[in-house]
Amino acid sequence: MLYYFLFSFALAMDPVPKNIPALLTSDLIENSNDQDWRDVAQKDLIYLQLETGLVLIELNEAFAPKHLLNIKQLAENKYWDNQRISRVQDNYVVQWGGNSEDKTKLKNVKPKLKGEYYSTKIDDSTITSLDDKDVYTKYVGFLNGFPVGHYGNKTWMIHCYGALGVGRDEAFDSGNGAELYTVIGHSPRHLDLNITLVGRVRHGIEHLSSLPRGLGPMGFYKDKNKGMVIKSLRVGTQLPRRQQKFLQVLRTDTPLFKQLIGARKFRQESWFHYRSGRASICNIPLPVRFK
Amino acid sequence: MLYYFLFSFALAMDPVPKNIPALLTSDLIENSNDQDWRDVAQKDLIYLQLETGLVLIELNEAFAPKHLLNIKQLAENKYWDNQRISRVQDNYVVQWGGNSEDKTKLKNVKPKLKGEYYSTKIDDSTITSLDDKDVYTKYVGFLNGFPVGHYGNKTWMIHCYGALGVGRDEAFDSGNGAELYTVIGHSPRHLDLNITLVGRVRHGIEHLSSLPRGLGPMGFYKDKNKGMVIKSLRVGTQLPRRQQKFLQVLRTDTPLFKQLIGARKFRQESWFHYRSGRASICNIPLPVRFK
């Protein structure tokens, strides 16, 4: 392993170790082996088919089981099909759903769910820690591919770019999964622990993030007919096999992923003149590939 | 002044003060007076006129005077007029310029400039500190409306959403202001101190952030003729008065702005169930208004 002497990183911060492995993210991915990747299960994969392309979102079973049941049932009921994106607020969120009272589409769907904002059942030794400060909480890291915060006995998902959350009104039990949003801007961490997060976009987020911004208050479209049409929203297990995509994400509980975190903290690409030695939780990408 | 007891903010972090002023950002703005605002000088205001709308960008005189001279001269020479946006990389940057070797458009423009990554001339007592941790550096705050980092005798602008920077190749002196980019995603803080930042978008960033993403490497458009056309790029002083916009930004050296920071840390809107008591530097918006 090569070591690289970095003279500059004390510029903006307290001293950090001086001998840093010279790793490039691209090399790490290229040299990864199959055990460094995991399949995204079809039961956890949302296919959001827009007129302009397919968005693939991985659901996280660990935090919001009741909301996931509702979301899968709503997808089964074709609840969102032919609805339109209702809200695109710049540097914030894209939002859809929540407006239909069509009984057939709400079959077997719980009308109200208490917020599932965090879990007390996560063993923190299973979190790959970032070993860095965080502005908003004490410990941050990755749990099975998802960025999480941890403090005391509580663990929760973090609002990074691409996070999928459940819209709600003021009351704790006013969301049920029918209204969903995805983060398309700087991480709105003030939403953490305020809302039920259920997953993260793994592929195709540009079909959401490049949508025309809504011109009404909070980025809602003034003309509801201007929103992009959702052709369909399904979970993978609800699709015929020929329509399924076989997506893999880099495992986050491996030595390789720890190296990738290091490579993000100390950018070895020759373009960089200064390496901070730090990374924020939302500035660590999760590599994906198709099988 | 009302005080509001918040029982929940110790959930995710070390304890913070329990008696927090119950301020709403919207109330603060509504109750502001004219002394809380400052005019954006026409000499510091870039008018980036796209086919779809106008983007207004404030230049910051404090950090990169040589680059600002070049940029103003390039605008005077109509360097960017009728060029196209060349790069739109999702969750990262929109970029334009840097490709023309037309001599008439490079008149009085320095072909190379050393990077102006930071200043050693800033009195840190003039920075409105965020008084919060930062992942990447020791001190962060606002200086005359711009988010900055500070450590030792160095102060530099931070890559928040909307930051305007100067593209460069590998060498320290390989940028001159002809190639520019704006951040349209999660703050790429690893670029801090690696690049010359010159300003920040104050109005109309949605005309950049909603552009179709480039499908080539690093988000460059494969077909260069697909990029949005820049009708013109001028500094305010180069425009007839009837075309000038009179923009004001909230001053960041006032008691009101400190209250606004507090309101962002402790969101008093009744929608919030949890207030972290913290805010990251890129999650504090700078209100603007037209006179």
Side-chain angles (χ1 to χ4, degrees):
Chain A
M1 189 177 284
L2 285 171
Y3 283 83
Y4 198 91
F5 181 73
L6 293 167
F7 60 88
S8 59
F9 51 63
L11 175 62
M13 198 36 141
D14 303 320
V16 287
K18 291 195 178 177
N19 291 313
I20 304 300
L23 299 170
L24 293 175
T25 303
S26 52
D27 290 347
L28 289 168
I29 300 301
E30 201 169 311
N31 297 326
S32 66
N33 58 47
D34 286 348
Q35 288 76 51
D36 291 315
W37 299 80
R38 70 167 169 81
D39 295 334
V40 175
Q42 293 301 325
K43 71 177 176 56
D44 296 328
L45 192 57
I46 285 183
Y47 293 67
L48 170 58
Q49 183 66 57
L50 302 175
E51 286 175 314
T52 45
L54 178 64
V55 186
L56 294 171
I57 309 170
E58 187 180 15
L59 296 171
N60 186 348
E61 296 277 0
F63 291 92
K66 290 177 185 169
H67 283 80
L68 260 57
L69 278 179
N70 253 13
I71 289 168
K72 290 175 182 184
Q73 184 64 53
L74 287 158
E76 177 77 33
N77 296 355
K78 306 185 179 179
Y79 175 82
W80 293 283
D81 293 20
N82 303 311
Q83 288 198 17
R84 289 175 184 271
I85 301 285
S86 55
R87 177 186 185 193
V88 183
Q89 185 170 359
D90 195 65
N91 192 23
Y92 202 44
V93 296
V94 170
Q95 191 169 305
W96 64 91
N99 299 311
S100 173
E101 296 302 322
D102 180 340
K103 289 255 168 67
T104 62
K105 296 195 168 183
L106 292 170
K107 199 179 74 175
N108 297 329
V109 173
K110 295 256 189 318
K112 284 188 173 192
L113 287 176
K114 287 180 183 166
E116 295 177 294
Y117 297 170
Y118 58 81
S119 170
T120 55
K121 293 173 185 165
I122 307 288
D123 173 0
D124 63 355
S125 73
T126 62
I127 301 172
T128 301
S129 173
L130 207 58
D131 289 332
D132 251 339
K133 293 197 296 186
D134 181 74
V135 174
Y136 289 85
T137 191
K138 193 96 178 183
Y139 303 105
V140 292
F142 283 86
L143 180 67
N144 202 29
F146 292 92
V148 297
H150 178 80
Y151 189 66
N153 68 342
K154 296 183 178 64
T155 306
W156 58 93
M157 286 214 277
I158 284 177
H159 277 84
C160 292
Y161 194 82
L164 180 71
V166 172
R168 66 160 171 82
D169 295 328
E170 293 207 357
F172 182 58
D173 64 352
S174 54
N176 72 345
E179 184 179 74
L180 296 170
Y181 68 90
T182 296
V183 172
I184 58 153
H186 183 77
S187 57
R189 296 284 305 276
H190 54 288
L191 299 180
D192 291 357
L193 289 162
N194 270 301
I195 219 160
T196 302
L197 284 179
V198 291
R200 195 171 186 197
V201 176
R202 297 299 190 200
H203 179 79
I205 194 169
E206 65 275 14
H207 301 301
L208 297 172
S209 56
S210 65
L211 289 173
R213 277 43 183 163
L215 300 178
M218 297 169 68
F220 281 93
Y221 286 112
K222 285 181 177 174
D223 179 350
K224 289 180 181 175
N225 294 318
K226 285 288 166 66
M228 174 66 64
V229 169
I230 297 170
K231 290 176 72 171
S232 63
L233 191 157
R234 291 288 176 286
V235 178
T237 43
Q238 296 161 357
L239 292 172
R241 189 178 162 87
R242 70 177 184 284
Q243 288 179 25
Q244 291 175 343
K245 306 287 181 186
F246 297 93
L247 196 66
Q248 292 192 312
V249 297
L250 200 67
R251 282 175 54 188
T252 54
D253 57 349
T254 58
L256 183 82
F257 192 72
K258 284 188 181 164
Q259 289 181 309
L260 184 140
I261 290 175
R264 298 295 288 186
K265 293 184 181 186
F266 295 96
R267 302 287 180 118
Q268 298 300 323
E269 293 86 350
S270 52
W271 184 89
F272 284 88
H273 299 155
Y274 168 73
R275 288 89 173 169
S276 71
R278 268 82 184 183
S280 71
I281 184 68
C282 294
N283 210 354
I284 309 275
L286 190 71
V288 303
R289 66 183 190 185
F290 287 95
K291 248 169 123 175
Chain B
M1 189 178 285
L2 284 171
Y3 283 83
Y4 198 90
F5 181 72
L6 292 167
F7 61 89
S8 59
F9 51 62
L11 175 63
M13 198 40 143
D14 302 321
V16 287
K18 290 195 178 176
N19 291 314
I20 304 301
L23 300 169
L24 293 176
T25 303
S26 53
D27 288 347
L28 289 168
I29 300 302
E30 200 170 312
N31 296 327
S32 67
N33 58 49
D34 285 348
Q35 289 76 51
D36 291 314
W37 298 81
R38 70 168 169 80
D39 294 335
V40 176
Q42 292 301 326
K43 71 178 176 57
D44 295 327
L45 191 57
I46 286 183
Y47 294 67
L48 169 58
Q49 182 67 56
L50 302 175
E51 285 175 316
T52 44
L54 178 64
V55 186
L56 294 171
I57 309 171
E58 186 180 17
L59 295 170
N60 186 347
E61 297 276 359
F63 292 91
K66 290 177 185 170
H67 283 81
L68 260 56
L69 278 177
N70 254 11
I71 289 168
K72 290 176 181 182
Q73 184 64 53
L74 287 158
E76 177 77 34
N77 296 354
K78 305 185 179 179
Y79 175 82
W80 292 283
D81 292 21
N82 303 311
Q83 287 197 19
R84 288 174 186 270
I85 301 286
S86 54
R87 179 186 185 193
V88 183
Q89 185 169 358
D90 195 66
N91 192 24
Y92 202 45
V93 296
V94 170
Q95 191 169 304
W96 64 92
N99 299 310
S100 173
E101 297 301 322
D102 180 341
K103 289 256 169 65
T104 61
K105 296 196 167 181
L106 293 169
K107 200 179 70 174
N108 297 329
V109 174
K110 296 257 188 316
K112 284 186 173 194
L113 288 176
K114 288 181 183 163
E116 296 177 294
Y117 297 171
Y118 58 81
S119 170
T120 56
K121 293 173 184 163
I122 307 289
D123 173 0
D124 63 355
S125 73
T126 62
I127 300 172
T128 301
S129 173
L130 206 56
D131 289 331
D132 252 338
K133 293 198 297 186
D134 182 73
V135 174
Y136 289 86
T137 192
K138 194 97 176 177
Y139 303 105
V140 292
F142 283 85
L143 181 67
N144 203 28
F146 293 91
V148 297
H150 177 81
Y151 189 65
N153 68 341
K154 296 183 178 64
T155 305
W156 59 92
M157 284 212 278
I158 284 178
H159 276 84
C160 292
Y161 194 84
L164 181 71
V166 172
R168 66 160 171 84
D169 294 328
E170 293 207 356
F172 182 60
D173 63 353
S174 55
N176 71 345
E179 183 179 74
L180 296 170
Y181 68 90
T182 296
V183 172
I184 59 153
H186 183 78
S187 56
R189 296 284 306 276
H190 53 288
L191 300 179
D192 290 358
L193 290 162
N194 270 300
I195 218 158
T196 302
L197 284 180
V198 292
R200 195 171 186 197
V201 176
R202 297 299 191 200
H203 179 78
I205 194 169
E206 66 275 12
H207 301 301
L208 297 171
S209 56
S210 65
L211 288 172
R213 277 44 182 162
L215 300 178
M218 298 167 67
F220 282 94
Y221 285 113
K222 285 180 175 173
D223 179 350
K224 290 181 181 176
N225 294 318
K226 287 285 166 69
M228 174 67 64
V229 170
I230 296 170
K231 291 176 73 172
S232 65
L233 190 157
R234 291 287 178 288
V235 178
T237 43
Q238 296 161 357
L239 292 172
R241 188 177 162 87
R242 70 176 183 285
Q243 288 178 26
Q244 292 175 343
K245 306 287 181 186
F246 297 93
L247 194 65
Q248 292 192 312
V249 296
L250 200 68
R251 282 176 55 187
T252 54
D253 58 348
T254 57
L256 182 81
F257 192 72
K258 284 189 181 164
Q259 289 180 310
L260 185 140
I261 290 175
R264 297 295 287 184
K265 293 185 182 186
F266 295 95
R267 301 288 180 117
Q268 298 301 324
E269 294 85 351
S270 52
W271 183 89
F272 284 89
H273 299 155
Y274 169 74
R275 287 92 174 166
S276 71
R278 269 81 184 184
S280 71
I281 183 71
C282 294
N283 210 354
I284 308 273
L286 190 71
V288 303
R289 67 182 190 186
F290 288 96
K291 247 169 121 173

